[in-house]
C-alpha cells in the first residue's frame, strides 16, 4: 500500500483494521501476488448508466478484459459528478459530502495504482447560453481536471484520462468546445482515451441507435467506447513506457518497389472505430497502404428506451487500398467505393494521409495534408494494416488509433503535434535497421508490434 494513502486511511479505521491492512500488505509484498488495481473515477457514463447489456459500461468491460492478466478494476464513480463535486470522494472524512456518497465510492480506500478519470463537459455545464459562460465552463473543467491529475500523482496513483465525449443535446459550439478540450488534453503529459471518436456522429452527438438517452450510451455505445481503450495501455505504463512525443529526427524508411507489403500491423484486440496516419513521398503509381478485415453491419433491437444498435462483424471480407493513380491519391475498397484527391501527390514532396473510420456512424473520411478530401458510407472491422506492396516510396511516422480522428485532431497531426489518445501504434520508421520478421520501433503506450514482412527496406536520412 502506498504510504500516503495508508496514513490517510489509518486515521479513519480502528486499530484491528489497521493491523489487518499492514499484515495483508506484508504478505502480498512477500509473495508478489498482489494484483495491480485500476479505479474508474468519474460520473454516470464512467459508472455504466444506460448499459442495457448489464456489463457495467466501459469500466465493466475493462474489468473482464484485464482480469485474465491479473489486474483488478474497481468502479468508483457517481452519477452527476463534475470536476467540482467529485472532490468530496477522495477519502471518507476528508470533506463533508456535497451529496450522499456510497461507502465504496471513495477513491483512496480502494488503494489504486492507476485511476481512469471519466468526467464530461456536459456535467460541467458546457451547454449554456452565451460564449462567455461557455468559455468559463471550459476553463473551469480544464483547471479542475488538471487538479485531479495532480492530486492523483501526489497520492502515488498514475492517472489516465477518458476524454470528453458525445451528448445528444450538443449544438455546434458545444461540439467545438469538446473537440478543443480533447486536443488540449492530448498536449498534456498524461495518457488519454479518445471516447468521442468511438461514438461521434460527426456533430458531437451519439451515433443513431447507440445511446440510451441524451446523456448516456446504451450497451452498443459502451461496446464502442471500451474498444477505444488500448488493450495493453496499463501493462505498457507498468513497464515504464512514457506518453509518446513526436520524433524530430531526419530518419525515414525507403521501401523498394515490390508486389508484397513491407510492413504489417495486426491489432491486439478487435477494433471498430479507427484512424491510420502515414507520411509518404512517392512519385510512381501504385498501392502504398492496405487495410484488410471484414465488413460489418448493425444489429438493431427494440428496447424499452427505443431502438438500440450494436456493430456485428459479418463473414464478408473487406479490403481497402490507398494508392497513387494517375498521380492522385485514391482510396478504393471492396464495396466499390472510391475517394480521390483533387491535387496530385506525385510531386516529390512529403504528404500526410489520414484514414478515419467512424464505425458507429458508418463513415470513412479521407484527409490529405490536414484537409478533408471526401467521405463515404461504409462499416468495417479492420484486422490488418499493411504498408508497401507497390512502387518505391519513402515512409515516416505511421500511426494507428483505436478511435476515429476528427478535423481538429487531423490538423494537429499535420502541424507536427502529437495526438496520443487511443494510440496503439506509433512507428516513426526511423529504426537503425529493418529486419524481416522483426518488429519496428513502437513509441505508443502499448505492447503491440508492427512486423517487417519484406526486409528490403532501407534506412535513409536525406
Amino acid at each position: 500500500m502506498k504510504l500516503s494513502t495508508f496514513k490517510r486511511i489509518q486515521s479513519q479505521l480502528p486499530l484491528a483494521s489497521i493491523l489487518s491492512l499492514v499484515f495483508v500488505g506484508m504478505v502480498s509484498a512477500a509473495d508478489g501476488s498482489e494484483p495491480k488495481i485500476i479505479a474508474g473515477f468519474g460520473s454516470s457514463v464512467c459508472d455504466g448508466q444506460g448499459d442495457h447489456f448489464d456489463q457495467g459500461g466501459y469500466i465493466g468491460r475493462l474489468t473482464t478484459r484485464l482480469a485474465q492478466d491479473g489486474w483488478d478494476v474497481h468502479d468508483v464513480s457517481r452519477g452527476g459528478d463534475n470536476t467540482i463535486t467529485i472532490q468530496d470522494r477522495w477519502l471518507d472524512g476528508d470533506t463533508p459530502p456535497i451529496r450522499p456518497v456510497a461507502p465504496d465510492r471513495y477513491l483512496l480506500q480502494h488503494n489504486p495504482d492507476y485511476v481512469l478519470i471519466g468526467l464530461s463537459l456536459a456535467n460541467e455545464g458546457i451547454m449554456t447560453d452565451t460564449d462567455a459562460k461557455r468559455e468559463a465552463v471550459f476553463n473551469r473543467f480544464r483547471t479542475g481536471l488538471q487538479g485531479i491529475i495532480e492530486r492523483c500523482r501526489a497520492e502515488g496513483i498514475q492517472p489516465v484520462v477518458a476524454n470528453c465525449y458525445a451528448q445528444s443535446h450538443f449544438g455546434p459550439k458545444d461540439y467545438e468546445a469538446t473537440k478543443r478540450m480533447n486536443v488540449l488534453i492530448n498536449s498534456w503529459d498524461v495518457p488519454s482515451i479518445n471516447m468521442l471518436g468511438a461514438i461521434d456522429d460527426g456533430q458531437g452527438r451519439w451515433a443513431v441507435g447507440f445511446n440510451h438517452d441524451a446523456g448516456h450510451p446504451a450497451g452498443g455505445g459502451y461496446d464502442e467506447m471500451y474498444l477505444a481503450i488500448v488493450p495493453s495501455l496499463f501493462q505498457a505504463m507498468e513497464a515504464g513506457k512514457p506518453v509518446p512525443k513526436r520524433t524530430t529526427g531526419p530518419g525515414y524508411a525507403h521501401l523498394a518497389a515490390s508486389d508484397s507489403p513491407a510492413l504489417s500491423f495486426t491489432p491486439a484486440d478487435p477494433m471498430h472505430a479507427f484512424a491510420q496516419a502515414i507520411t509518404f513521398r512517392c512519385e510512381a503509381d501504385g498501392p502504398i497502404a492496405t487495410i484488410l478485415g471484414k465488413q460489418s453491419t448493425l444489429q438493431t433491437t427494440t428496447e424499452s428506451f427505443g431502438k438500440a444498435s450494436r456493430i456485428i462483424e459479418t463473414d464478408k471480407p473487406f479490403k481497402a487500398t490507398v494508392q497513387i493513380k494517375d498521380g492522385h491519391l485514391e482510396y478504393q475498397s471492396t464495396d466499390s467505393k472510391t475517394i480521390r484527391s483533387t491535387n496530385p501527390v506525385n510531386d516529390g514532396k512529403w504528404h500526410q494521409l489520414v484514414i478515419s473510420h467512424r464505425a458507429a456512424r458508418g463513415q470513412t473520411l479521407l484527409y490529405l495534408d490536414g484537409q478533408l478530401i471526401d467521405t463515404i458510407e461504409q462499416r468495417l472491422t479492420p484486422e490488418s494494416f499493411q504498408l508497401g506492396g507497390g512502387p518505391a516510396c519513402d515512409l515516416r511516422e505511421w500511426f494507428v488509433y483505436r478511435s476515429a480522428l476528427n478535423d481538429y485532431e487531423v490538423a494537429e497531426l499535420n502541424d507536427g503535434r502529437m495526438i496520443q489518445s487511443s494510440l496503439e501504434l506509433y512507428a516513426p520508421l526511423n529504426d537503425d535497421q529493418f529486419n524481416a520478421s522483426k518488429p519496428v520501433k513502437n513509441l505508443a503506450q502499448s505492447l503491440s508490434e508492427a512486423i517487417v514482412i519484406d526486409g528490403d527496406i532501407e534506412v535513409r536520412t536525406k
Side-chain angles (χ1 to χ4, degrees):
M1 178 179 290
K2 292 176 281 293
L3 182 60
S4 60
T5 303
F6 176 75
K7 287 180 177 179
R8 287 176 172 274
I9 292 177
Q10 70 173 344
S11 65
Q12 310 295 325
L13 298 175
L15 179 60
S17 297
I18 295 173
L19 294 175
S20 176
L21 283 171
V22 172
F23 176 74
V24 170
M26 291 173 61
V27 171
S28 299
D31 65 12
S33 63
E34 183 177 3
K36 291 293 179 178
I37 297 173
I38 302 166
F41 189 46
S43 53
S44 56
V45 171
C46 195
D47 195 31
Q49 184 173 324
D51 184 358
H52 70 293
F53 296 151
D54 293 325
Q55 293 180 15
Y58 64 80
I59 291 294
R61 289 159 174 77
L62 185 66
T63 302
T64 301
R65 171 62 178 83
L66 293 186
Q68 65 193 40
D69 297 324
W71 291 65
D72 281 350
V73 182
H74 301 180
D75 178 13
V76 193
S77 298
R78 178 179 63 179
D81 267 358
N82 55 34
T83 63
I84 298 171
T85 62
I86 202 171
Q87 300 299 332
D88 67 2
R89 296 198 297 107
W90 289 91
L91 186 66
D92 191 8
D94 267 6
T95 304
I98 298 173
R99 294 183 289 128
V101 184
D104 65 342
R105 299 295 154 136
Y106 288 97
L107 177 65
L108 296 181
Q109 287 178 256
H110 290 260
N111 193 34
D113 301 280
Y114 300 87
V115 60
L116 202 170
I117 304 165
L119 295 171
S120 74
L121 274 172
N123 278 9
E124 201 75 19
I126 200 67
M127 291 178 286
T128 186
D129 58 351
T130 69
D131 292 344
K133 290 179 182 178
R134 187 176 297 102
E135 195 64 18
V137 170
F138 182 96
N139 292 330
R140 185 176 70 235
F141 185 87
R142 178 196 61 207
T143 301
L145 187 56
Q146 288 176 323
I148 295 169
I149 291 167
E150 290 169 4
R151 179 162 181 183
C152 286
R153 287 172 171 162
E155 298 286 353
I157 307 167
Q158 294 193 56
V160 175
V161 175
N163 291 1
C164 299
Y165 46 85
Q167 221 280 358
S168 290
H169 292 153
F170 272 178
K173 292 184 177 181
D174 307 315
Y175 187 33
E176 185 273 340
T178 301
K179 293 191 289 184
R180 188 157 53 97
M181 179 59 69
N182 287 349
V183 164
L184 182 61
I185 292 169
N186 267 280
S187 71
W188 299 346
D189 187 26
V190 61
S192 55
I193 301 163
N194 185 354
M195 295 298 189
L196 179 66
I199 200 69
D200 186 12
D201 73 343
Q203 300 180 63
R205 301 188 287 262
W206 305 108
V208 175
F210 286 84
N211 65 303
H212 183 275
D213 52 40
H216 305 91
Y222 280 114
D223 285 345
E224 301 310 304
M225 297 176 84
Y226 159 70
L227 289 177
I229 304 173
V230 172
S232 57
L233 169 63
F234 293 97
Q235 292 92 330
M237 293 175 66
E238 187 71 10
K241 289 194 78 172
V243 174
K245 301 186 184 308
R246 293 290 289 269
T247 60
T248 57
Y252 61 90
H254 175 76
L255 277 58
S258 173
D259 293 331
S260 303
L263 297 157
S264 178
F265 170 63
T266 300
D269 279 23
M271 181 184 284
H272 289 169
F274 73 88
Q276 177 177 224
I278 312 157
T279 302
F280 68 94
R281 182 172 62 187
C282 301
E283 297 187 23
D285 282 3
I288 58 176
T290 304
I291 302 170
L292 301 174
K294 298 289 178 55
Q295 297 183 47
S296 299
T297 188
L298 293 185
Q299 180 186 79
T300 302
T301 59
T302 301
E303 307 294 337
S304 59
F305 53 87
K307 299 289 186 182
S309 298
R310 71 187 310 181
I311 295 175
I312 302 296
E313 178 185 315
T314 72
D315 58 0
K316 297 178 181 178
F318 186 97
K319 180 179 180 179
T321 302
V322 180
Q323 61 184 345
I324 298 175
K325 187 174 180 180
D326 300 326
H328 294 258
L329 189 70
E330 184 175 275
Y331 170 94
Q332 188 172 61
S333 59
T334 303
D335 51 14
S336 300
K337 295 178 178 178
T338 302
I339 301 175
R340 181 179 170 86
S341 70
T342 302
N343 298 324
V345 295
N346 60 345
D347 52 7
K349 298 179 181 179
W350 287 101
H351 296 279
Q352 187 183 76
L353 153 76
V354 177
I355 302 167
S356 182
H357 182 64
R358 294 172 174 154
R361 165 68 176 79
Q363 183 183 60
T364 298
L365 304 90
L366 184 69
Y367 294 86
L368 179 63
D369 299 329
Q371 300 299 313
L372 179 65
I373 298 176
D374 206 349
T375 67
I376 52 178
E377 306 298 305
Q378 59 185 193
R379 187 171 282 110
L380 61 128
T381 298
E383 295 175 341
S384 177
F385 299 85
Q386 300 177 349
L387 299 186
C393 65
D394 301 326
L395 300 176
R396 68 185 187 199
E397 290 201 301
W398 183 17
F399 301 82
V400 179
Y401 297 87
R402 299 187 66 86
S403 194
L405 297 183
N406 58 49
D407 54 346
Y408 279 49
E409 293 155 342
V410 171
E412 290 289 300
L413 269 188
N414 189 64
D415 288 343
R417 290 180 284 274
M418 174 57 83
I419 294 295
Q420 47 84 7
S421 299
S422 297
L423 180 61
E424 186 165 355
L425 175 73
Y426 174 39
L429 300 179
N430 62 354
D431 302 43
D432 293 334
Q433 60 183 0
F434 297 94
N435 298 315
S437 303
K438 298 295 184 181
V440 299
K441 179 168 52 180
N442 177 17
L443 300 184
Q445 279 185 303
S446 84
L447 302 182
S448 300
E449 295 181 339
I451 303 296
V452 176
I453 300 175
D454 184 343
D456 193 6
I457 307 176
E458 182 181 343
V459 181
R460 293 188 178 179
T461 58
K462 294 183 180 180

